[in-house]
Amino acid sequence: MAVGIFDSGLGGLTVLDAVSERLPDVPFVYFGDNKHAPYGVRDADDVYNLTCAATERLWEAGCDLVILACNTASAAALRRMQESWIPRDKRVLGVFVPLIEALTERQWGDNSPPREVAVKHVALFATPATVRSRAFQRELAFRAIGVDVEAQACGGLVDAIEEGDMILAEALVHSHVDALKRKMPDPEAVILGCTHYPLMQEVFQEALGPEVSVYSQANLVAESLSDYLQRHPDMMGPGMESGFLTTGNPLKVSQNATQFLRRKITFDAA
Ligand code: DGL
């Protein structure tokens, strides 16, 4: 009954934590493609091929349902995977839609035409590949009208977080927030559109000011997954065991993961 959680690296652990808390009886297998992170500077074909390879490994581990806890893969590869690659008995879901449903105050599966929503000025912080894909704006346009989105590509931030260099990460958050504010001085809502960024959520909030609502994905994805599994219990795969797999150096990745989540995490080679 295991479910797979995929990210290019450690960012998806923020999602893993929330889904494990929401669904304590479900075993989760986490796959971090640390060897190839960051994905945010790769082209769409590259992200597609790497994401397919990781997804196949999670299927092998008994996870028929795989969550792409990576916005870059969700933005650059998921649609192509769903259109032509995923077999009938497997599912791959992304992390964008639950976030946009929350921002536009929609219920799960509400497919009514786009309408006006409360927020008008939204800032998106994401990787260069996610920003380039415009997937966020596309998904938002299906649901809301009249929302002005300003996207800030946060070059270097995922690398700094993966390396555990929090001083550099903090400096980068401040400089990307400054750059955003020059384009949109008063955002009403801010989306952290990369699963690595919640690891820096306090720094984002401090740089943005207390009046700005910062949306991050972990809890929203956990709610959506719980709802999905209730409606599709057959998508729980045959795997029975939780685990952590990485394409990187298991020792180094385990150390960084343990530091981020403040609990012992042990990765095995994928
Ligand atoms: N956590 C991934 C995301 O949500 C990081 C992307 C990367 O590897 O650059 O986009």
Side-chain angles (χ1 to χ4, degrees):
M1 58 187 276
V3 172
I5 306 285
F6 160 78
D7 183 40
S8 61
L10 298 173
L13 292 172
T14 57
V15 173
L16 178 80
D17 242 13
V19 293
S20 313
E21 197 176 314
R22 181 72 183 74
L23 298 160
D25 299 329
V26 176
F28 289 98
V29 182
Y30 186 87
F31 183 110
D33 193 7
N34 303 75
K35 182 174 170 191
H36 303 110
Y39 278 16
V41 290
R42 293 177 180 274
D43 68 27
D45 279 347
D46 218 5
V47 173
Y48 174 80
N49 290 328
L50 291 168
T51 307
C52 288
T55 301
E56 275 178 333
R57 179 67 186 85
L58 284 166
W59 287 341
E60 256 171 49
C63 304
D64 289 350
L65 169 64
V66 172
I67 309 296
L68 301 185
C70 175
N71 291 271
T72 308
S74 304
L78 181 58
R79 193 191 253 198
R80 185 168 160 199
M81 291 166 81
Q82 286 172 332
E83 278 169 4
S84 57
W85 183 75
I86 301 168
R88 275 175 175 279
D89 59 338
K90 308 277 192 262
R91 288 286 180 287
V92 180
L93 301 175
V95 285
F96 257 42
V97 170
L99 183 77
I100 290 172
E101 283 173 341
L103 185 73
T104 55
E105 293 161 20
R106 288 202 171 220
Q107 298 300 320
W108 175 277
D110 172 353
N111 290 326
S112 59
R115 56 176 181 256
E116 294 225 13
V117 293
V119 286
K120 298 284 179 235
H121 302 285
V122 176
L124 169 70
F125 291 94
T127 66
T130 299
V131 169
R132 212 169 38 242
S133 75
R134 295 189 62 80
F136 178 82
Q137 287 90 330
R138 189 181 63 226
E139 291 293 337
L140 187 65
F142 289 139
R143 297 167 178 84
I145 44 177
V147 183
D148 179 21
V149 178
E150 193 62 67
Q152 175 66 31
C154 298
L157 187 51
V158 168
D159 311 58
I161 294 172
E162 284 286 312
E163 285 304 314
D165 187 343
M166 299 328 246
I167 294 173
L168 176 60
E170 204 171 318
L172 285 168
V173 169
H174 281 280
S175 87
H176 288 304
V177 168
D178 286 348
L180 181 279
K181 281 190 164 174
R182 283 196 290 277
K183 298 180 281 184
M184 180 181 269
D186 294 309
E188 291 161 276
V190 161
I191 308 288
L192 299 186
C194 168
T195 52
H196 282 70
Y197 300 172
L199 294 163
M200 306 300 294
Q201 181 144 352
E202 282 170 21
V203 185
F204 271 103
Q205 185 76 65
E206 184 198 299
L208 287 157
E211 66 291 348
V212 180
S213 319
V214 177
Y215 288 75
S216 72
Q217 288 158 321
N219 290 332
L220 301 171
V221 172
E223 257 336 291
S224 295
L225 178 61
S226 153
D227 182 75
Y228 182 87
L229 289 175
Q230 264 169 27
R231 288 179 298 114
H232 302 276
D234 51 312
M235 284 320 299
M236 299 266 209
M240 294 304 285
E241 281 187 38
S242 303
F244 293 87
L245 302 171
T246 179
T247 53
N249 173 339
L251 198 65
K252 184 171 175 237
V253 173
S254 303
Q255 275 166 357
N256 284 350
T258 300
Q259 180 192 337
F260 286 138
L261 291 195
R262 299 190 183 103
R263 64 182 165 89
K264 181 133 184 65
I265 308 250
T266 307
F267 274 84
D268 294 315

